[in-house]
Amino acid sequence: RLVYWENDETTGKSGIKTSKIDGSDIVTIVESQGVLDRPVWRPDGKHIAYAAETGGNWDIWVGSSDGKERYRLTSGPEMETNPKWSPDGKRLAYKVGPIGDYPLTIEYFMSFPNGFNSPVIQGWNGPQSIQMSDWSPDGRLITYTAEAVSHASGEDRVTYLAVVGDTNGGYPVILSGNKTLGDRGPVFSPDGRRIAFWAWDLNYRATLWMVNTDGTNLRQMTYAGFDMNPRWSPDGSKLLFESGRSGNMDIWIMPVD
């Protein structure tokens, strides 16, 4: 089944729904006059996490895939969005924008030993101003982008760089090795051994890069630009990505090796 977000311009309502691949058998998970965003399946297919805006505040919710139950997981004044299930479905990562003059976004993690009505929340002890991109297949590591200082241009500049680390903020490794002007969207290969990401190279082109999960064997995969948002094929042999190299944004595929 597919899960998707929709907006009805006639009523102003937003909805999160599921359907079979052919568009039949539609099930409504939630409808709201507020904005809904980023629905994601729990790996077992029984629940869907999403972000919802209510009264000017964003929170994380979970709904059952039959549309019969919903659980509000956060209710604080912070902005909580971008839920991401761990591969085993036991934890849920989400982005938190704290209240303040300069809201440095961080990641929090939930587990549910006593069900969705009483989640256990784990704070973040790593660098600030981050956004998580992916879980490793075994759930031990995560990739994210973080504000850091790059010397690639020949002088110090604060930019966003791709990082791999654990959920406590430990083991942080900047993947681009001071070879890029800024990075985005690092994603693990299906076997967890490699990470693909896109970055601004020294010629100010958006290009694809690959590196081992431990930060070794960094290599630039494309040079033409404008290449962004890589995704792995299920067998790890190809990358799917967006590119403007033809003068229009299109979907491209390339072999990894």
Side-chain angles (χ1 to χ4, degrees):
R1 296 182 67 86
L2 299 173
V3 63
Y4 60 93
W5 166 89
E6 70 175 19
N7 177 257
D8 187 327
E9 293 184 352
T10 303
T11 64
K13 286 185 177 181
S14 294
I16 291 174
K17 300 181 179 182
T18 74
S19 74
K20 291 183 178 179
I21 299 298
D22 63 6
S24 65
D25 189 26
I26 295 174
V27 174
T28 298
I29 306 303
V30 59
E31 283 187 330
S32 173
Q33 290 294 149
V35 183
L36 303 169
D37 194 28
R38 300 181 187 270
V40 285
W41 287 105
R42 198 177 191 186
D44 63 6
K46 295 180 180 179
H47 294 90
I48 293 165
Y50 59 94
E53 184 268 336
T54 306
N57 187 42
W58 283 89
D59 288 298
I60 302 296
W61 291 68
V62 163
S64 60
S65 57
D66 60 9
K68 295 181 179 179
E69 297 178 313
R70 288 191 294 275
Y71 306 89
R72 186 174 185 171
L73 302 182
T74 65
S75 57
E78 299 84 5
M79 181 179 182
E80 290 115 349
T81 56
N82 296 48
K84 291 181 181 293
W85 292 102
S86 62
D88 61 7
K90 293 182 179 180
R91 289 181 292 171
L92 184 66
Y94 60 101
K95 184 173 72 172
V96 179
I99 297 173
D101 294 333
Y102 183 38
L104 298 173
T105 57
I106 54 179
E107 288 292 321
Y108 274 50
F109 302 87
M110 287 184 182
S111 57
F112 310 96
N114 300 310
F116 293 125
N117 284 319
S118 53
V120 175
I121 297 176
Q122 172 198 336
W124 174 253
N125 295 318
Q128 305 295 293
S129 193
I130 76 163
Q131 180 162 322
M132 181 176 161
S133 295
D134 199 16
W135 291 86
S136 64
D138 61 9
R140 293 189 309 107
L141 301 174
I142 62 172
T143 55
Y144 55 92
T145 53
E147 278 193 357
V149 177
S150 170
H151 307 277
S153 65
E155 58 183 24
D156 290 352
R157 56 181 290 176
V158 177
T159 184
Y160 275 95
L161 298 176
V163 181
V164 62
D166 61 33
T167 58
N168 292 312
Y171 181 62
V173 176
I174 295 178
L175 297 171
S176 52
N178 205 38
K179 302 294 184 181
T180 69
L181 301 176
D183 314 329
R184 289 291 190 279
V187 287
F188 287 98
S189 62
D191 62 8
R193 296 179 179 179
R194 293 177 289 183
I195 296 170
F197 61 95
W198 70 273
W200 297 103
D201 65 17
L202 298 184
N203 293 309
Y204 296 91
R205 298 170 300 197
T207 52
L208 302 187
W209 295 66
M210 188 176 300
V211 65
N212 293 342
T213 299
D214 63 2
T216 61
N217 194 27
L218 174 69
R219 52 189 174 128
Q220 188 170 348
M221 303 293 291
T222 66
Y223 293 85
F226 191 82
D227 303 333
M228 306 170 66
N229 300 323
R231 295 291 183 270
W232 292 86
S233 62
D235 64 1
S237 66
K238 300 179 182 68
L239 286 177
L240 181 82
F241 61 99
E242 300 173 38
S243 179
R245 61 177 64 196
S246 66
N248 186 54
M249 289 303 290
D250 293 302
I251 301 297
W252 291 65
I253 296 175
M254 66 177 292
V256 168
D257 297 317

